[in-house]
Amino acid sequence: MNRGIKFLTAAVLGLAAVACSSPKKMAEQAENVTVNSDPAVLEVVAGKIDANVTVTYPEKYFHPKAILEVTPVIVYEGGEAKMEPYYFQGEKVKDNYEVISSEGATITKPVHFEYAEGMEKCYLELRGTVKFGDKVTELPTKKVADGANTTYMLVCDNGKVDYKADAYQEIIKQTAEGQVLYTINSSVVRNSQLKGESVKNFLAALEEIQANERKELVSTEVIAYASPDGGEKLNTKLSDNRSKTAEKAFNKITKDEELGAPVNVKSIGQDWEGFQELVAESDIEDKDLIIRVLSMYSDPAVREQEIKNMSAVYKELAKEILPELRRARFIANVEYTNYSSEELLQLINDNIDVLDEEALLRAATLVKDLKGKVAVYEKAVEKYGSTRAQYNLAAAYLNAGKTAEGKAALAKVSEKDADYQNAMGVVALQEGNLAEAAKYFNAANNATAKENLAVVDILNGKYADAASKLAESGKSLNKALSLILTNDLAGASQAICCDCPKGAYLKAVIAARQGNAEEVKANLEKAGKDSGLAARAAKDIEFVQFQ
């Protein structure tokens, strides 16, 4: 981009020299004074325009008795902004202004303006008057710099709020189970067991699985055990024998069923795990002591002996617990296919009450419009008191830029975790309170908050800090912008994340800074699909040399 500036005639700042007999002649000879600006193209940083204007007065230019008033002015569409004037005086003036020697001088002064809408298309000029004796002359107004670069304002400054995850399962693993019990030291399956309620319920479950199109039987298991009394070697053999008879029994009771799934047969031996579970669930007075023995000893023989030593307790175990462990289990492993995305969307319209909390949380993620998404989250809050849904309700509002609604929803969130801190930071960001936003983002201290903190850095003019925070993040428009603002144009090109109007606009900025006119034109055409970006491009100083 052409960063050159135009010379300002000295009439703006220059005054009568010894060779000049009047302010009028000083104005006529003002071309001998040079003026430039740093930066040459004005730039808006953190809502402010700052530059340094340097004026060089040649020798014998500034009259010793002259007083100069200089007012920096930004002229833009819709108005103008004036600074308080600077005053300068010749060597023989008895006042307190800065003295300019008739021998010549170079003066640098800062200019500062608060950005106002429309200043992206503007110019900086200096307006001056010179007082010489009783005469006051208005000097010619001249430009110092053109335009004001507002590229940083392309930042996506809405902030980002993550949603709490649901635990919805597309496939739910289920089991159906029955069992047969054996008598002590026996591996014979009794007919009474095959006709018992446990086996009947198991067969009924198999029939229901086959009739239910959402359920699929993926495998079956036959698992045999021995109770942990009578010695480990004996019980291992007994368990093995029970696995064989249990398999035959299983095949017998399922001969009329079309299982279509493999049968896995296992022999466990002594069932210490089942023993501990039954003891823990029982009303045995000394059950805590028994469980402590199990935790103290791992050797089966020692465990059995220590428990037998508690004679009164052992009698109760022999009566209530051990018979339940002389068993073989029949297990059907099932996969239940949950509602699909299409079904969830249909159900929230037709029969939302059948959905549980996790299904509602998942369904809300599928709804595109804010009103519908809010309705689903509100249902989850109403029906289940879902804390995640309450937080996600706030997130939905904030991500849509509905600050007041998001803030109100967030006020009802009970868990003040990192997600909450980040969301509060987004509220402050959307309200324009950058210091408060930074406080919350730092408290959150997670990846999303770090990205949001980079937005605060960009808005505060800390472009290198923003680029550093986004260095480890994935592609994003804000990352690309931070690299443009730090003049890493190659990195910026790689960071653009979408084939969208704003992404095209950033590509046009990159191309403009690289002097690639064809790329500028092509990308501005894509960006122009967004009317707001099209209007911006027409005034953007980035593209002035291509217009």
Side-chain angles (χ1 to χ4, degrees):
M1 178 183 294
N2 184 358
R3 302 282 181 172
I5 65 166
K6 298 180 180 180
F7 289 130
L8 170 65
T9 63
V12 180
L13 297 176
L15 296 162
V18 174
C20 298
S21 60
S22 69
K24 182 179 179 180
K25 290 186 177 180
M26 288 189 294
E28 292 172 353
Q29 298 180 18
E31 293 179 356
N32 295 324
V33 175
T34 60
V35 181
N36 56 47
S37 172
D38 181 20
V41 175
L42 300 177
E43 182 176 4
V44 184
V45 178
K48 299 173 176 59
I49 299 174
D50 290 286
N52 290 309
V53 175
T54 299
V55 182
T56 300
Y57 298 93
E59 186 179 0
K60 296 181 179 181
Y61 196 86
F62 209 105
H63 194 284
K65 293 183 179 181
I67 294 176
L68 177 65
E69 177 187 295
V70 178
T71 304
V73 182
I74 281 187
V75 181
Y76 62 98
E77 290 184 349
E80 61 182 33
K82 295 181 181 180
M83 278 183 60
E84 289 295 316
Y86 285 110
Y87 291 92
F88 306 94
Q89 66 185 45
E91 297 166 307
K92 294 184 178 181
V93 175
K94 295 181 179 180
D95 216 321
N96 294 318
Y97 305 128
E98 186 171 350
V99 176
I100 304 297
S101 171
S102 60
E103 295 180 358
T106 296
I107 304 295
T108 298
K109 291 295 181 183
V111 295
H112 172 84
F113 299 90
E114 296 292 324
Y115 171 80
E117 188 175 351
M119 284 187 179
E120 57 273 5
K121 188 172 184 179
C122 71
Y123 56 88
L124 172 64
E125 66 180 23
L126 301 179
R127 299 174 184 174
T129 58
V130 61
K131 182 179 180 182
F132 183 60
D134 294 331
K135 296 181 180 180
V136 177
T137 301
E138 185 174 327
L139 302 179
T141 298
K142 297 294 182 178
K143 279 186 182 180
V144 178
D146 283 307
N149 189 302
T150 60
T151 296
Y152 89 96
M153 293 184 183
L154 289 166
V155 63
C156 303
D157 60 356
N158 197 46
K160 178 183 176 183
V161 183
D162 291 325
Y163 289 94
K164 296 285 189 185
D166 61 74
Y168 186 78
Q169 295 175 280
E170 285 82 4
I171 300 295
I172 300 175
K173 295 187 180 299
Q174 301 175 333
T175 60
E177 187 169 336
Q179 69 175 13
V180 293
L181 298 178
Y182 295 87
T183 59
I184 190 169
N185 294 328
S186 172
S187 59
V188 175
V189 178
R190 295 167 289 171
N191 286 333
S192 61
Q193 289 294 306
L194 296 181
K195 297 178 181 179
E197 288 300 313
S198 182
V199 171
K200 287 182 180 179
N201 291 339
F202 178 69
L203 292 174
L206 288 179
E207 291 178 3
E208 191 277 332
I209 291 167
Q210 292 173 354
N212 192 328
E213 61 181 11
R214 289 188 177 276
K215 292 184 178 181
E216 179 184 358
L217 181 66
V218 294
S219 68
T220 57
E221 297 177 80
V222 175
I223 307 177
Y225 305 85
S227 59
D229 59 319
E232 184 178 12
K233 184 176 180 181
L234 172 65
N235 284 327
T236 299
K237 182 178 180 180
L238 184 59
S239 177
D240 290 343
N241 290 335
R242 286 173 176 171
S243 70
K244 295 173 184 176
T245 59
E247 181 181 11
K248 291 179 180 179
F250 179 85
N251 290 334
K252 180 179 179 180
I253 64 174
T254 61
K255 64 180 181 179
D256 295 329
E257 306 289 342
E258 296 181 6
L259 300 181
V263 180
N264 301 310
V265 181
K266 298 178 186 177
S267 173
I268 300 301
Q270 291 183 321
D271 189 7
W272 284 107
E273 184 177 336
F275 177 81
Q276 183 167 333
E277 289 177 2
L278 291 178
V279 169
E281 295 169 359
S282 73
D283 296 325
I284 295 175
E285 184 175 349
D286 292 325
K287 67 179 182 180
D288 292 339
L289 177 59
I290 297 171
I291 292 172
R292 189 157 57 250
V293 168
L294 296 180
S295 65
M296 291 173 60
Y297 304 103
S298 59
D299 186 282
V302 176
R303 281 180 168 181
E304 182 179 354
Q305 186 58 50
E306 289 294 327
I307 291 172
K308 285 183 176 180
N309 288 341
M310 298 182 283
S311 57
V313 173
Y314 188 75
K315 289 180 181 179
E316 192 170 1
L317 292 173
K319 180 181 178 182
E320 303 293 337
I321 303 297
L322 296 178
E324 298 296 320
L325 302 175
R326 299 163 188 147
R327 58 179 175 153
R329 298 166 62 200
F330 303 148
I331 302 172
N333 296 308
V334 180
E335 289 185 350
Y336 176 86
T337 301
N338 214 341
Y339 297 122
S340 67
S341 296
E342 293 76 14
E343 288 173 319
L344 286 171
L345 287 171
Q346 189 67 39
L347 284 169
I348 61 176
N349 292 318
D350 297 344
N351 193 11
I352 194 170
D353 285 322
V354 304
L355 301 180
D356 61 16
E357 180 183 3
E358 302 306 330
L360 286 169
L361 290 173
R362 174 61 61 87
T365 68
L366 304 173
V367 179
K368 301 303 181 184
D369 66 286
L370 178 62
K371 183 179 179 181
K373 191 182 291 287
V374 165
V376 177
Y377 283 135
E378 287 180 338
K379 184 68 174 181
V381 173
E382 172 195 343
K383 189 173 181 180
Y384 300 105
S386 174
T387 55
R388 284 174 294 160
Q390 182 63 51
Y391 168 84
N392 286 353
L393 178 62
Y397 278 129
L398 292 174
N399 285 332
K402 301 288 187 180
T403 311
E405 293 88 340
K407 189 175 183 179
L410 203 57
K412 298 178 182 179
V413 173
S414 57
E415 187 177 0
K416 306 300 191 285
D417 59 2
D419 288 335
Y420 171 86
Q421 298 294 335
N422 177 66
M424 286 297 293
V426 169
V427 170
L429 180 63
Q430 292 182 4
E431 291 179 338
N433 190 335
L434 300 186
E436 189 78 358
K439 182 184 75 172
Y440 280 116
F441 293 146
N442 282 315
N445 194 30
N446 59 23
T448 301
K450 190 175 181 181
E451 291 181 31
N452 288 333
L453 198 55
V455 174
V456 176
D457 285 337
I458 290 173
L459 293 174
N460 281 329
K462 299 178 179 179
Y463 305 143
D465 290 349
S468 177
K469 287 181 176 68
L470 296 171
E472 300 303 320
S473 66
K475 294 181 177 182
S476 71
L477 295 180
N478 280 348
K479 182 175 183 178
L481 179 62
S482 73
L483 294 171
I484 289 173
L485 295 171
T486 52
N487 205 34
D488 182 357
L489 302 183
S493 294
Q494 295 297 317
I496 294 174
C497 60
C498 64
D499 186 18
C500 57
K502 197 164 189 178
Y505 198 98
L506 292 179
K507 289 179 181 179
V509 172
I510 294 169
R513 295 191 177 194
Q514 294 172 331
N516 190 329
E518 290 185 5
E519 285 294 312
V520 170
K521 181 180 179 181
N523 282 296
L524 285 183
E525 285 179 358
K526 293 179 182 179
K529 294 177 181 179
D530 182 305
S531 59
L533 292 175
R536 176 190 169 91
K539 302 176 182 179
D540 197 335
I541 194 69
E542 295 275 8
F543 308 125
V544 67
Q545 65 177 336
F546 301 99
Q547 295 171 347

